[in-house]
């Protein structure tokens, strides 16, 4: 049993041995061992964390994946699956003692079943490619992470990815029908199947979001939805960020489920406007973008009500996009917010936590206070409808100590989320980034249940070790073990 | 470790011992040991299966549940939780060697959080009572089992209950935010919490539908949805049941997600019409009831399109309810179909399987053939939009051998569902009724994973033993172990 917290140094002899075996199993051109070849795989989208993989292999078929995994199991070598490498929590961070198995060559859409509204695809297929293939049939795949041009559906499954439209249409886990998975024993298993209900325990939900720690996904069947006839967006300006937070609750309470409900604070507005010229009010304390979709008639009616509710909730102005071009422009500002904020500062650190909507105003104030305390500016861009925060902490990695300060600040934001009854992730997963905060989110007993479940699927701890679920040792070292007097073995969230 | 397949005979000494302990822990009036008191608890909604519990206890508080469960654990006595006892698969069937723990006294709505659209309730609260309490605020709880007047939310969680509206709004599992559960060790645990995403493995989904085998639910937090402004229903008649089946696919493919899409065949139509005078065409081979809901404008538009699609798909007539009274009447026919069919025959056996929609016509034909073969009539009433079949097998339990024939026929229908890539349950759970068919649904390796997961939560197998997940011994005896040449440890469902 390897210690998941301690990667061993690269064993060059083992690398050669694996390379030899892998080159018998797949096209030798896709077995990478040279430093120059390995470098691109040193990190995923969380580039502040880097490690060099022992070896990278890119198999082309399910049979090859099975054979490669069996070699890893037989030699006791950990194996880390990687999709497009766009993850933001370091879930695909390599280890010096582990094989990195890329599923980039699994890029085929295997079946579009229009009459049953589903697509069967390989895990390396890009999120957006599914919707593009389904578009001629009037269908699309709903979850839309910001990285959807690049991110792969396999990675979406591993991290239970979200996106702007998840308020109405759910996360990845709500849009899946079946998975085919290679187990650590190299067996091929299919879970789910798309029935109305499934007997037995819900293994499909268990596998989704498990960050490659229970098996390697080699095929994904997703639900497709009809493309809404029309979408319309309202841009509301607020003088006060707390009012904007309360307006979010008012929209939901009015019985409208927007397709998207996003908030940006003043620093984010100014950065985005400067970058995308979206027509945002740069003097507003906050804006809300509220999109509704559906049939023509429904959209006309809903957008009228959204406007009324937002004005009643204190919006100084509500501007409805006059046409699809302006609508696209409003969203272009939001979608470019991350790179736009990136121009304000050499580096930024994107956090991802979720809080009950009613605590939005309070938590934003606390973040502001922490910003002063750490001396680092923050821009806030988030999925307000879900209470999913994405504070962007601005720093300069070239200034000694700033990265560490940004990490500490980010950790405090996550702790704040837990304290108000929220969670340390909204859609980016835990990966390597938030593993210490898992010690706050869950008491040791729950972590124990997680470890035992992992053992059911991966008895020797070879699948993506050290991610997502901290060892109790790690929590003890982090010094933040969550222990209750009442010894509640699961998180006793604040009552909402 | 008890053998879950073999209940021991009632141990009268143990009964007295438990009674004494329980009467110290809860109001003695709610500890039942006399035959007359125990009789009402001998079965749940699947009344063909009966067993007398060792003892029945109805605690009033979470602390009492914890104490009672600890007594059971210390004495190694199995414990079976029971909600309202309306389940149709025998999930709450007692055992002669087990405590039956009723949650009937947990009937309080603890909190209605209107701004966050959620309700925190005790498990004994009736499904419909939640919607009734939420109605003044314009909200409701979406899953609507036919038994919603009587069934409890705790039982809904245990069986992952569905209903007519689940096509659009999902099963119980899609409408839950958090559960508080008493473990077999008497610990209180909370899982979920209502965040956008949750770190760690998805224990909330794992617990939902686990039929009381992983823990005893003592508090449930559900999502509430805004009550749609309007609903409208279309009644379509077909000369041919296969055409009706294809019309279902056509509606879905047209991009409409109906709030309900139900099918009835001719025997069901005639029985329901005779009973409820709903205005059904008694000469039609099949009818579809297609309901749409939403805003006024959306409903007007959708119902027009539904009408067009149904006519294009071969409906001989499409009748849109002229007002809410007629709409209620159309549904009254559907909702009374079970009791109506009950008048055709002394007894009926309601099956529950799910198949891919495209196999509807084929499977209905096969059921017809089996009906001839077994000499038992069938009426079909089902959630067509989901492919969720509810064939009602008519029989007379007073005729020797008829119950056994009905059970065998029912078993064949479930096997048929599995053979076309479906599942043995749609919304009623597995319980005791379908435990043998689990041997067909899943290969031994998957059943092994299920058992191991159970062991994580319940190491001594004391929680509702013998339900839902068959032992491998049982499968061997049933003679229908699903073993693949390739030894796939999970169900290799037919490709859709």
């Amino acid at each position: 049993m390897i210690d998941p917290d301690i990667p061993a140094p690269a064993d060059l002899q083992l690398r050669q041995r694996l390379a030899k075996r892998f080159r018998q199993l797949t096209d030798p051109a896709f077995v990478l061992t040279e430093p120059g070849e390995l470098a691109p795989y040193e990190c995923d989208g969380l580039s502040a964390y880097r490690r060099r993989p022992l070896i990278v292999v890119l198999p082309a078929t399910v049979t090859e994946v099975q054979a490669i995994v069996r070699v890893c199991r037989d030699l006791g070598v950990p194996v880390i699956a990687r999709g497009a490498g766009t993850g933001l929590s370091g879930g695909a961070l390599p280890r010096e003692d582990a094989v990195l198995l890329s599923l980039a060559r699994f890029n085929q859409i295997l079946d579009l079943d229009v009459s049953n509204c589903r697509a069967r695809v390989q895990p390396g297929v890009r999120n957006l490619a599914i919707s593009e293939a389904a578009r001629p049939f009037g269908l699309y795949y709903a979850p839309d992470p910001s990285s959807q041009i690049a991110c792969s559906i396999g990675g979406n499954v591993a991290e239970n990815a979200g996106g702007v439209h998840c308020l109405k249409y759910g996360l990845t886990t709500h849009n899946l029908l079946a998975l085919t998975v290679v187990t650590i024993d190299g067996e091929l298993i299919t879970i789910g199947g798309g029935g109305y209900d499934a007997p037995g325990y819900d293994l499909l939900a268990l596998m989704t979001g498990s960050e490659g720690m229970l098996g390697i996904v080699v095929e994904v069947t997703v639900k497709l939805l009809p493309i809404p006839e029309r979408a319309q967006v309202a841009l509301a300006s607020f003088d006060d960020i707390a009012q904007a937070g309360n307006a979010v609750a008012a929209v939901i309470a009015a019985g409208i489920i927007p397709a998207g409900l996003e908030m940006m604070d003043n620093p984010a507005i100014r950065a985005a406007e400067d970058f995308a010229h979206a027509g945002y009010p740069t003097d507003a304390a906050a804006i809300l973008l509220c999109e509704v979709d559906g049939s023509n008639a429904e959209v006309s009616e809903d957008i009228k009500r959204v406007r009324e509710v937002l004005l009643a909730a204190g919006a100084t102005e509500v501007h409805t996009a006059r046409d699809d071009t302006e609508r696209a422009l409003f969203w272009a500002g939001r979608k470019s917010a991350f790179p736009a904020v990136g121009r304000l500062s050499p580096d930024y650190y994107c956090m991802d936590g979720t809080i009950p909507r009613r605590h939005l105003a309070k938590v934003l104030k606390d973040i502001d206070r922490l910003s002063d305390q750490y001396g680092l500016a923050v821009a806030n861009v988030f999925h307000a409808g879900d209470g999913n925060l994405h504070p962007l902490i601005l720093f300069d990695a070239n200034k000694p100590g700033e990265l560490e300060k940004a990490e500490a600040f980010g950790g405090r934001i996550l702790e704040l989320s837990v304290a108000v009854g929220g969670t340390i992730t909204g859609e980016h997963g835990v990966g390597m980034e938030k593993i210490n905060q898992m010690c706050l989110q869950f008491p040791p007993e729950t972590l124990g249940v997680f470890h035992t479940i992992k053992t059911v699927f991966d008895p020797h701890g070879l699948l993506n070790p050290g991610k997502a679920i901290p060892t109790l040792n790690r929590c003890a070292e982090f010094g933040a073990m969550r222990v209750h007097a009442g010894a509640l073995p699961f998180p006793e969230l604040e009552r909402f």
Side-chain angles (χ1 to χ4, degrees), chain A residues 6 63 120 185 215 233 273 316 365 368 402-403 424-425 473:
Chain A
I6 309 170
T63 313
R120 193 161 58 82
D185 289 323
V233 67
E273 181 57 24
T316 53
K365 208 190 253 173
D368 207 38
E402 280 226 334
L403 169 61
I424 61 168
T425 173
N473 273 346

Side-chain angles (χ1 to χ4, degrees), chain A residues 140-419:
Chain A
Y140 78 115
Y141 174 66
D144 54 347
S146 300
S147 57
Q148 70 175 146
I149 294 176
C151 65
S152 69
I153 189 70
N156 290 179
V157 171
E159 301 297 335
N160 191 20
V164 164
H165 287 91
C166 289
L167 172 59
K168 183 167 180 179
Y169 297 106
L171 294 161
T172 303
T173 192
H174 305 109
N175 290 277
L176 288 185
L177 293 168
L179 294 175
T180 303
V181 175
V182 171
T183 69
I184 189 59
D185 289 323
E187 301 291 344
L188 198 62
I189 66 177
T190 297
I191 52 182
Y196 186 50
D197 186 18
Y201 307 124
D202 190 346
L203 301 184
L204 184 59
L206 193 68
M207 194 65 69
T208 308
S210 66
E211 310 206 21
M213 295 177 62
L214 304 180
I216 295 175
V217 173
V218 291
E219 198 178 295
V220 182
T221 304
V222 299
K223 281 186 210 169
L224 300 175
L225 295 180
I227 298 172
E229 194 177 352
R230 183 176 156 216
Q232 174 59 291
V233 67
L235 165 63
S237 313
F238 291 84
D239 279 345
D240 175 48
I241 197 158
Q243 269 191 327
N246 295 334
V248 169
V251 169
I252 305 288
I256 300 157
I257 303 179
L261 182 47
E262 301 283 309
M263 195 194 288
M264 295 166 71
D265 70 359
N266 183 269
I269 295 168
R270 279 184 293 126
E273 181 57 24
D274 194 40
F275 186 94
H277 310 294
Y280 291 170
T282 49
D283 54 343
I287 59 169
L288 288 182
L289 282 171
C290 182
E291 177 151 304
V292 295
D293 65 13
S295 68
N296 254 316
E298 181 190 8
V299 168
S300 303
E301 201 172 287
D302 279 355
I303 203 77
K304 208 178 99 200
R305 289 178 60 213
V306 163
R307 193 185 156 78
E308 287 161 9
V309 171
L310 291 173
L311 286 171
T316 53
E317 198 186 348
V318 179
H319 187 102
T320 304
R322 86 179 72 86
D323 53 26
D324 265 1
T325 311
E326 193 173 54
R327 184 180 148 255
L329 201 60
F330 283 179
W331 280 114
R334 165 63 184 87
K335 285 184 180 165
S336 66
F338 285 20
V341 167
R343 300 204 305 182
L344 299 183
S345 165
D347 298 282
Y348 70 86
Y349 184 30
C350 170
M351 297 310 300
D352 168 49
T354 303
I355 58 167
R357 275 190 294 268
R358 67 182 168 94
H359 290 308
L360 273 177
K362 175 191 158 23
V363 169
L364 288 172
K365 208 190 253 173
D366 286 345
I367 291 176
D368 207 38
R369 193 177 41 74
L370 287 169
S371 167
D372 287 345
Q373 190 180 321
Y374 283 94
L376 295 175
V378 176
N380 282 291
V381 177
F382 51 91
H383 306 314
D386 311 294
N388 182 200
L389 306 176
H390 288 316
L392 303 171
I393 302 172
L394 309 185
F395 69 101
D396 182 349
N398 286 325
K399 289 195 191 151
E402 280 226 334
L403 169 61
E404 292 69 24
K405 265 208 294 190
E407 283 184 318
F409 183 1
R412 292 294 299 278
I413 293 175
L414 297 180
E415 291 160 24
L416 202 57
S417 301
V418 173

Side-chain angles (χ1 to χ4, degrees), chain A residues 4-5 44 51 80-81 89-95 100 159 210-213 430-433 435 438 451 454 463-471 474:
Chain A
D5 287 339
D44 61 11
R51 282 195 200 148
I80 298 166
S89 61
L93 182 72
R95 293 169 63 100
L100 189 76
E159 301 297 335
S210 66
E211 310 206 21
M213 295 177 62
V430 174
M432 201 61 225
E433 179 198 23
I435 194 158
M438 285 289 279
H451 284 299
K454 177 158 172 68
L463 289 166
N464 206 8
K467 305 289 170 60
I469 317 287
T471 59
R474 172 181 274 276

Side-chain angles (χ1 to χ4, degrees), chain A residues 428-467:
Chain A
H428 297 171
V430 174
M432 201 61 225
E433 179 198 23
K434 303 176 197 167
I435 194 158
N436 287 337
Q437 281 76 25
M438 285 289 279
C439 308
L440 297 172
Q441 181 89 65
F442 296 106
E445 292 81 357
T446 308
L447 297 175
V449 171
F450 290 153
H451 284 299
T452 315
I453 287 176
K454 177 158 172 68
T455 310
V456 174
F457 291 87
D458 180 22
H460 303 293
L462 296 177
L463 289 166
N464 206 8
K467 305 289 170 60

